[in-house]
């Protein structure tokens, strides 16, 4: 069974600081997603990482994927209050073999950025 | 980007009634759609994989007779919660996969069973 572990699960930080959220998964997969969720809302897609070594950046967020280490990171640079949300990583099971399908999500990182 | 809609966005029903939720891919065809459930302050859990023209594949622990899934066309999947009970109250989110394998999520349906 695929396990996806995110840490930290809760993060309170000040504006202007940098931080990294980690996502470890237990089996091979070449496709990983990062999503943002605001309270009461559905998921907003941030990044799709498709191969080992993939790095994508959008504004103050940067995501990377190391399939050999089974690790993805989401790095926040010079955080601003608007980035406060819950962030999920999700591994695409279809790319891990075995015939299963769908996404397995981490537990999410609840991020609060204080002025 | 691709758009997925869900209807209704919110529903309140009495215990014992059935509720149907629709998921549509608006600008692309999706041979595969997925249904997820999210309880408050928890992550999303995959309930079932819906394939157009065939039976859905349910995850372990999800009752297929309680959560009926129909994927009658390449742009529509429906989830019917039969004989709903308060413990079925949750946020139900569908996703649709495009030809390139990317999943796009709908806005979700909040179900409250009284």
């Amino acid at each position: 069974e695929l396990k996806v572990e995110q840490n930290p699960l809760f993060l309170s930080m000040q504006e202007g600081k940098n931080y990294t959220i980690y996502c470890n998964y237990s089996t091979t997969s070449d496709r990983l997603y990062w999503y943002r969720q605001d309270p009461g809302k559905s998921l907003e897609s941030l990044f799709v990482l498709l191969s080992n070594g993939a790095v994508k950046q959008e504004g103050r967020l940067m995501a990377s994927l190391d399939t050999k280490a089974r690790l993805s990171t989401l790095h926040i640079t010079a955080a601003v209050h608007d980035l406060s949300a819950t962030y999920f990583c999700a591994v695409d099971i279809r790319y891990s073999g075995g015939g299963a399908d769908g996404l397995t999500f981490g537990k999410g990182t609840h991020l609060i950025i204080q002025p | 980007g691709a758009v997925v809609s869900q209807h209704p966005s919110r529903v309140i029903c009495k215990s014992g009634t059935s509720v149907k939720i629709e998921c549509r891919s608006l600008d692309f065809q999706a041979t595969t759609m997925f249904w997820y459930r999210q309880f408050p302050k928890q992550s999303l859990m995959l309930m079932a994989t819906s394939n157009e023209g065939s039976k859905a594949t349910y995850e372990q622990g999800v009752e297929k007779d309680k959560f009926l899934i129909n994927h009658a066309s390449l742009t529509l999947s429906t989830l019917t919660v039969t004989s709903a009970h308060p413990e079925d109250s949750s946020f139900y989110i569908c996703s649709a996969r495009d030809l390139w394998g990317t999943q796009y999520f709908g806005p979700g349906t909040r179900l409250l069973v009284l």
Side-chain angles (χ1 to χ4, degrees):
Chain A
E1 179 189 344
L2 172 61
K3 293 190 190 311
V4 181
E5 293 187 359
Q6 266 182 258
N7 72 84
L9 298 182
F10 181 83
L11 176 58
S12 178
M13 56 192 290
Q14 287 186 315
E15 279 192 329
K17 299 290 187 183
N18 304 331
Y19 210 82
T20 301
I21 300 170
Y22 298 88
C23 176
N24 290 90
Y25 52 98
S26 62
T27 191
T28 58
S29 177
D30 288 336
R31 185 171 289 214
L32 187 140
Y33 298 79
W34 283 96
Y35 294 95
R36 167 182 173 146
Q37 187 177 38
D38 292 299
K41 305 285 187 181
S42 186
L43 300 181
E44 174 190 348
S45 179
L46 297 175
F47 301 106
V48 182
L49 301 169
L50 300 177
S51 61
N52 185 41
V55 177
K56 289 193 175 179
Q57 182 162 6
E58 181 74 33
R60 300 175 188 274
L61 300 179
M62 183 173 71
S64 67
L65 178 62
D66 181 342
T67 58
K68 289 182 169 51
R70 300 177 187 171
L71 170 67
S72 180
T73 62
L74 179 66
H75 187 73
I76 303 157
T77 302
V80 292
H81 178 67
D82 287 350
L83 290 179
S84 297
T86 299
Y87 293 85
F88 292 97
C89 66
V91 175
D92 198 326
I93 309 171
R94 192 166 68 146
Y95 294 84
S96 61
D101 207 346
L103 301 183
T104 297
F105 283 80
K107 289 187 176 181
T109 297
H110 184 50
L111 175 63
I112 295 176
I113 299 171
Q114 301 181 9
Chain B
V3 177
V4 175
S5 70
Q6 272 184 250
H7 178 78
S9 59
R10 187 181 298 263
V11 58
I12 301 173
C13 69
K14 291 183 179 179
S15 187
T17 60
S18 294
V19 174
K20 180 186 281 189
I21 304 170
E22 291 186 350
C23 176
R24 292 181 187 274
S25 57
L26 297 185
D27 49 4
F28 66 101
Q29 293 184 332
T31 55
T32 305
M33 292 184 173
F34 302 88
W35 288 95
Y36 297 84
R37 179 167 54 184
Q38 185 181 32
F39 292 108
K41 299 192 186 306
Q42 293 189 24
S43 187
L44 280 76
M45 296 295 292
L46 179 65
M47 298 176 65
T49 301
S50 170
N51 294 297
E52 187 265 338
S54 64
K55 290 184 179 179
T57 302
Y58 290 81
E59 295 300 300
Q60 195 170 10
V62 178
E63 299 174 57
K64 61 181 180 181
D65 294 330
K66 181 167 184 61
F67 299 100
L68 301 179
I69 291 172
N70 184 272
H71 193 153
S73 77
L74 287 172
T75 59
L76 173 64
S77 176
T78 60
L79 168 68
T80 301
V81 184
T82 62
S83 187
H85 290 284
E87 58 265 29
D88 299 323
S89 299
S90 188
F91 192 39
Y92 292 86
I93 308 175
C94 73
S95 72
R97 183 164 62 202
D98 68 10
L99 290 176
W100 293 270
T102 300
Q103 286 192 36
Y104 296 91
F105 283 83
T109 297
R110 197 163 299 280
L111 171 64
L112 176 61
V113 184
L114 302 177

